[in-house]
Amino acid sequence: MKKLDKKEMQKLVEKAKLEMKNAFIPKSKSPVGAAVLTDKGNIYAGCNVDSGISGLGTCAERCAIDNAVANGEHCFKAILIVSESEEPLKPCGMCLQYIAEFSKVAAHDTKIIMVGSKGKIKKSSINKMLPDTFVPKDFGLNLKKNKKQKRGK
Amino acid sequence: MKKLDKKEMQKLVEKAKLEMKNAFIPKSKSPVGAAVLTDKGNIYAGCNVDSGISGLGTCAERCAIDNAVANGEHCFKAILIVSESEEPLKPCGMCLQYIAEFSKVAAHDTKIIMVGSKGKIKKSSINKMLPDTFVPKDFGLNLKKNKKQKRGK
Amino acid sequence: MKKLDKKEMQKLVEKAKLEMKNAFIPKSKSPVGAAVLTDKGNIYAGCNVDSGISGLGTCAERCAIDNAVANGEHCFKAILIVSESEEPLKPCGMCLQYIAEFSKVAAHDTKIIMVGSKGKIKKSSINKMLPDTFVPKDFGLNLKKNKKQKRGK
Amino acid sequence: MKKLDKKEMQKLVEKAKLEMKNAFIPKSKSPVGAAVLTDKGNIYAGCNVDSGISGLGTCAERCAIDNAVANGEHCFKAILIVSESEEPLKPCGMCLQYIAEFSKVAAHDTKIIMVGSKGKIKKSSINKMLPDTFVPKDFGLNLKKNKKQKRGK
């Protein structure tokens, strides 16, 4: 897949940083922002949303992806993550699984870009970060047969 | 809390129905749409997003809430749910917990409105549907002290 | 459903308290123990298991239920919860949903008993604590047709 | 870390296969079994537990791990997974995250062994399958300071 150009990269960082300010973090106190770039060239952002209990709550990555889906898109060229940590924050396995499933449906290797608070950048991709995971064989196929998906918004 | 007026109700139904079309449902095949009305009078919508595995995936209600949070709002007057089922679809306990936590932070009893495919309406509220749940005592307090929350977007 | 007798109650408290000591709580620091009493009269216990991320981690209630299922049982007369809080700790909506699903399969109203650190007891049931939740219509039916479930261990 | 000996391997397969029969699968219909071998040489097993909703439900791997934790152990040499699929079933990213967190606490590279229905074996480890994930820096440290963890059962 083609590299992101400078403009795309800049926009992703901006949107993820802006979004980080909306993080709902009464428990973790650590704001995280994320932004996805779709195959159509649109950007959707998300922040982390804490819950008071184990097993609930949304990471910024999944929030951004759900936001894109809610806007009718599920094919992602790249996802970018920002946090207040100097060392670029890596997605957790749960978010990687989510990215991997959409990546399989889109049939390409979604880029994962992690940006530290002082600008340090780490680049990877879903195939590198979760090289060998379980995704149901028919996950993508089912979707193509699902006409409801084609209507969009 | 004041009842929703006819216009607010109409808009919520419209947005939730529109959103339902974006449901990502390769596994469940059952599209669900939801829309929240915030204290500021804004509406944010969401749809269900399937995952291939147990424990991942987002219900429409949580998708709509996360979308509102990502836009800087977390106080909800009402949430409305639509589906393809004639009988109005009820939120699951996981979504009710999520609603309850935000409801505690906002300090009001969020309305829950369920709308069937042929217009049948069922009205309730979070205090009725989850009358006695666990929310950490300091969940709301922490938030007020958290200056990051006040910046908004 | 018949009330729990004194002996059953005592055993549930003992097992849940013992289990609480195994809580894996690097994040929450709040140990919780739970024990379920099955229709066959067996008791299975569980503790809370923290995860470093939002959306992962297991509450004591779900841990106890999964333990029972892993031992071939899924019909629960009662679940009891203990914690270090003087005020009896209530299950969250996520655990209530889990209990409600098994309760529907077993076709009875599972009792929920909450015990504070100094012995204060609060009694309720799944139908009272989650009076109106979503459970797929065919959830129980499917199971009965599923021969694999009948083999047990 | 030392390789598993033949006897350990056999026992893990046996326990995971036995456990698979208890899978609670009204929705997925696909039984999965898992077994962990702890540093003390004990084996704990688990099966998958379906829920009717997205975001709930437990994979066999997490069920087995929670069972071990509930028995006072959280350091795992190996985890083994069996299913009805000829091709060895791989853990999902959510389970890998869970394994990675315990693996960090135990400070060793937990082995992951996947066994197909006809005996095909695939061997890997958590560091290979989730090479670069997020685990809170202080996750292990906190635990060591947490005296409650040391009491065991």
Side-chain angles (χ1 to χ4, degrees):
Chain A
M1 213 166 32
K2 229 182 52 172
K3 271 179 128 185
L4 297 195
D5 63 35
K6 213 178 152 182
K7 222 174 163 177
E8 287 173 323
M9 185 71 186
Q10 244 173 4
K11 266 195 193 168
L12 278 170
V13 173
E14 262 171 43
K15 291 230 175 177
K17 279 197 176 165
L18 201 65
E19 192 57 43
M20 193 165 73
K21 293 179 189 161
N22 290 324
F24 181 81
I25 45 174
K27 207 172 151 185
S28 68
K29 312 278 191 304
S30 302
V32 183
V36 289
L37 175 66
T38 69
D39 282 6
K40 292 183 185 167
N42 295 317
I43 290 177
Y44 300 94
C47 58
N48 50 339
V49 186
D50 282 1
S51 160
I53 62 159
S54 287
L56 250 178
T58 313
C59 294
E61 295 91 323
R62 278 175 283 142
C63 185
I65 288 174
D66 283 354
N67 192 1
V69 172
N71 280 283
E73 297 200 48
H74 58 250
C75 296
F76 309 124
K77 277 172 82 166
I79 184 162
L80 181 142
I81 302 111
V82 296
S83 77
E84 288 187 338
S85 148
E86 210 174 313
E87 199 56 36
L89 191 78
K90 294 170 274 188
C92 71
M94 200 168 167
C95 288
L96 290 174
Q97 175 70 27
Y98 216 48
I99 297 167
E101 294 181 0
F102 287 100
S103 171
K104 190 176 169 186
V105 170
H108 56 48
D109 183 19
T110 302
K111 291 179 204 304
I112 298 175
I113 304 155
M114 298 147 273
V115 180
S117 60
K118 295 188 178 168
K120 185 175 172 183
I121 294 177
K122 186 178 164 153
K123 291 181 182 181
S124 190
S125 78
I126 188 60
N127 290 354
K128 280 183 204 146
M129 295 194 79
L130 194 62
D132 203 18
T133 194
F134 169 74
V135 178
K137 261 184 213 166
D138 53 1
F139 202 67
L141 300 174
N142 275 350
L143 191 69
K144 277 165 199 160
K145 285 179 204 153
N146 185 357
K147 285 169 202 161
K148 267 157 208 150
Q149 290 301 321
K150 283 168 190 161
R151 283 190 256 152
K153 188 156 107 178
Chain B
M1 213 166 33
K2 230 181 53 173
K3 271 180 129 184
L4 297 196
D5 63 37
K6 211 177 154 182
K7 220 173 162 179
E8 285 172 325
M9 184 71 187
Q10 242 171 6
K11 266 195 194 169
L12 278 171
V13 173
E14 262 170 44
K15 289 231 176 176
K17 280 198 177 165
L18 201 64
E19 192 57 43
M20 194 166 73
K21 293 179 189 161
N22 291 323
F24 180 81
I25 44 174
K27 207 171 148 184
S28 69
K29 311 277 191 304
S30 302
V32 183
V36 289
L37 175 67
T38 70
D39 281 7
K40 293 184 186 166
N42 296 317
I43 290 177
Y44 300 94
C47 57
N48 52 337
V49 186
D50 284 0
S51 160
I53 62 160
S54 287
L56 251 178
T58 312
C59 294
E61 295 92 324
R62 280 176 280 142
C63 184
I65 288 174
D66 283 353
N67 192 2
V69 172
N71 280 283
E73 299 199 47
H74 58 251
C75 297
F76 309 124
K77 279 171 81 167
I79 184 163
L80 181 144
I81 302 112
V82 295
S83 77
E84 287 187 339
S85 146
E86 207 174 316
E87 199 55 36
L89 191 79
K90 295 171 274 190
C92 71
M94 201 168 167
C95 288
L96 289 174
Q97 175 70 26
Y98 215 49
I99 296 168
E101 294 181 0
F102 287 100
S103 172
K104 190 178 168 187
V105 170
H108 56 48
D109 183 19
T110 302
K111 292 178 204 302
I112 298 175
I113 304 155
M114 299 147 270
V115 180
S117 59
K118 295 187 177 168
K120 184 173 172 184
I121 293 177
K122 186 178 163 151
K123 290 179 182 183
S124 189
S125 78
I126 187 61
N127 290 354
K128 281 183 204 146
M129 294 194 79
L130 194 63
D132 203 18
T133 193
F134 170 75
V135 177
K137 261 183 213 168
D138 54 0
F139 202 67
L141 301 174
N142 274 349
L143 191 69
K144 276 164 200 161
K145 286 179 202 151
N146 184 355
K147 284 169 203 161
K148 267 156 209 151
Q149 290 302 320
K150 283 167 189 160
R151 282 190 255 153
K153 189 158 104 179
Chain C
M1 214 167 30
K2 230 183 50 173
K3 270 179 131 186
L4 296 196
D5 63 36
K6 213 178 153 181
K7 221 173 163 178
E8 286 173 326
M9 185 70 187
Q10 244 173 4
K11 265 195 194 168
L12 278 170
V13 173
E14 262 171 44
K15 290 232 175 177
K17 279 198 176 164
L18 201 64
E19 192 57 41
M20 194 165 73
K21 293 179 189 161
N22 291 323
F24 181 81
I25 45 175
K27 207 172 152 185
S28 68
K29 311 277 191 304
S30 302
V32 183
V36 288
L37 175 67
T38 70
D39 282 6
K40 292 183 186 167
N42 295 316
I43 291 177
Y44 299 95
C47 57
N48 51 336
V49 186
D50 282 2
S51 160
I53 63 160
S54 287
L56 249 179
T58 313
C59 294
E61 296 91 323
R62 280 175 280 142
C63 184
I65 288 175
D66 283 354
N67 192 1
V69 172
N71 280 284
E73 299 200 48
H74 58 252
C75 295
F76 308 123
K77 277 171 82 167
I79 184 163
L80 181 143
I81 301 110
V82 296
S83 77
E84 287 187 339
S85 148
E86 209 175 312
E87 199 55 37
L89 191 79
K90 294 170 273 188
C92 71
M94 201 169 166
C95 288
L96 290 174
Q97 175 70 28
Y98 215 48
I99 296 168
E101 294 180 1
F102 287 99
S103 172
K104 190 177 168 186
V105 170
H108 57 49
D109 184 18
T110 301
K111 291 178 204 305
I112 298 176
I113 304 155
M114 298 147 272
V115 180
S117 60
K118 295 188 177 167
K120 184 173 174 184
I121 293 177
K122 186 178 164 153
K123 291 180 183 181
S124 190
S125 79
I126 188 60
N127 290 353
K128 279 183 204 145
M129 295 193 80
L130 194 63
D132 204 19
T133 193
F134 169 74
V135 178
K137 262 185 213 166
D138 53 0
F139 201 66
L141 301 175
N142 275 349
L143 191 68
K144 277 164 200 161
K145 285 178 203 153
N146 186 355
K147 284 169 203 160
K148 267 157 208 151
Q149 291 301 321
K150 283 168 192 162
R151 283 190 255 152
K153 188 157 105 177
Chain D
M1 214 167 29
K2 231 183 50 173
K3 270 180 129 186
L4 297 195
D5 62 37
K6 212 177 153 182
K7 222 172 160 180
E8 286 173 325
M9 185 71 188
Q10 243 172 4
K11 266 195 192 167
L12 279 170
V13 173
E14 262 170 43
K15 291 231 176 175
K17 278 197 177 163
L18 201 64
E19 192 58 42
M20 194 166 74
K21 292 179 189 161
N22 290 324
F24 181 81
I25 45 174
K27 208 171 149 184
S28 69
K29 312 274 191 304
S30 302
V32 183
V36 288
L37 176 66
T38 70
D39 282 5
K40 293 183 186 167
N42 295 317
I43 291 177
Y44 300 94
C47 58
N48 52 337
V49 186
D50 283 1
S51 160
I53 63 161
S54 287
L56 251 179
T58 313
C59 294
E61 295 90 323
R62 280 176 281 142
C63 184
I65 288 175
D66 283 354
N67 192 2
V69 172
N71 280 283
E73 299 200 48
H74 58 253
C75 296
F76 309 124
K77 278 171 83 166
I79 185 163
L80 181 143
I81 302 111
V82 296
S83 77
E84 287 188 338
S85 146
E86 207 174 314
E87 199 55 37
L89 191 79
K90 295 171 272 190
C92 72
M94 200 169 167
C95 288
L96 290 174
Q97 175 70 27
Y98 215 48
I99 297 167
E101 294 181 1
F102 287 100
S103 171
K104 190 177 169 186
V105 170
H108 55 49
D109 184 19
T110 301
K111 291 179 204 304
I112 298 175
I113 304 156
M114 299 146 272
V115 180
S117 60
K118 296 189 177 167
K120 185 174 174 184
I121 294 176
K122 187 179 163 151
K123 291 180 182 180
S124 189
S125 78
I126 188 60
N127 290 354
K128 280 183 204 144
M129 295 193 80
L130 195 62
D132 203 17
T133 192
F134 169 74
V135 178
K137 262 184 214 168
D138 53 1
F139 201 67
L141 300 174
N142 275 349
L143 191 69
K144 276 163 202 163
K145 285 178 203 153
N146 185 356
K147 283 169 205 160
K148 268 159 208 147
Q149 290 301 322
K150 284 168 192 161
R151 283 191 256 153
K153 191 157 103 180

